[in-house]
Amino acid sequence: MTRLGRHDWLDAGLGLLAAGDRRSLTLDRLCEQLGRTKGSFYHHFQDMPTYQLELLERWQRRHTEALIDDAQTAGDPQARSERLRARVAASDLRLERAIRSWAEVEPLARAAVSAVDDRRLRYLGELALARIGDPTRAKIVARIEYAAFVGSVELFADLSVAQRELLSRSLDEALALWATNPAG
């Protein structure tokens, strides 16, 4: 039998969330999916709240920090925005939706989502400021972009990657026109 590490348990939890919802994340389901005993789980994690905290941290690293790090490797702010948009559009948004749903009832998840929202908004604001130059308009652009993302997670989770890219690109173009229009 292959030995499993902490990361295997965490990946399984993220998979359960993405495939179902917050109610899917139980110790019994994890053990069943991995073909392991509860003792194996407790070898790696003190308890379920510890596991959930690490799970949320892994989600934050993979679905926020890794995307930002990748976007930063692109050239100018516009290229970084485009790379970020493409990576987000290609993401499996079921996990985002499940974690946001979990945050409605679980304070630990709520705190993680709040931290992720703050981090994402800061980064979008930095990108917008670098493109626009006006801090007030940049903040508004970042908020609208992020609100559109969160809304699309809830309303349009079934969109294809191409449709998500089109939606995001259209919004970006509209915001760019607004941000550079002195009368807007």
Side-chain angles (χ1 to χ4, degrees):
M1 188 177 283
T2 306
R3 185 175 173 103
L4 297 180
R6 294 173 83 79
H7 65 278
D8 296 306
W9 286 94
L10 295 169
D11 288 346
L14 292 176
L16 282 173
L17 283 170
D21 62 25
R22 67 182 185 272
R23 294 178 297 273
S24 302
L25 188 61
T26 66
L27 183 51
D28 288 334
R29 293 280 308 274
L30 283 165
C31 291
E32 178 184 325
Q33 181 170 336
L34 293 171
R36 295 298 194 267
T37 65
K38 291 179 181 179
S40 178
F41 173 87
Y42 287 114
H43 172 76
H44 296 288
F45 304 97
Q46 178 180 348
D47 53 26
M48 198 61 166
T50 301
Y51 173 79
Q52 291 171 340
L53 179 62
E54 289 189 38
L55 184 75
L56 290 163
E57 289 169 351
R58 190 167 185 88
W59 166 69
Q60 181 175 0
R61 281 190 307 276
R62 284 188 172 176
H63 296 271
T64 299
E65 297 306 328
L67 296 177
I68 290 170
D69 290 346
D70 182 60
Q72 283 297 104
T73 65
D76 61 25
Q78 185 61 39
R80 290 193 293 271
S81 292
E82 289 170 9
R83 177 166 294 171
L84 181 63
R85 178 178 46 247
R87 288 284 310 272
V88 169
S91 297
D92 182 353
L93 297 182
R94 295 175 306 160
L95 179 59
E96 182 83 19
R97 189 175 197 182
I99 289 179
R100 287 185 175 282
S101 172
W102 187 19
E104 293 174 11
V105 297
E106 172 58 48
L108 189 64
R110 188 175 311 116
V113 167
S114 179
V116 161
D117 287 345
D118 289 347
R119 175 67 173 115
R120 290 172 177 174
L121 275 167
R122 271 195 323 275
Y123 186 67
L124 289 173
E126 292 166 13
L127 287 176
L129 182 59
R131 289 188 328 260
I132 298 167
D134 178 338
T136 302
R137 286 181 182 257
K139 185 175 183 177
I140 293 168
V141 165
R143 286 179 171 180
I144 292 171
E145 286 176 335
Y146 197 60
F149 165 73
V150 172
S152 71
V153 166
E154 285 301 315
L155 297 173
F156 308 120
D158 61 339
L159 291 180
S160 70
V161 171
Q163 290 169 325
R164 279 190 249 149
E165 285 179 351
L166 178 62
L167 178 66
S168 182
R169 194 171 26 259
S170 298
L171 177 63
D172 191 46
E173 290 171 5
L175 287 172
L177 286 173
W178 172 82
T180 56
N181 179 358

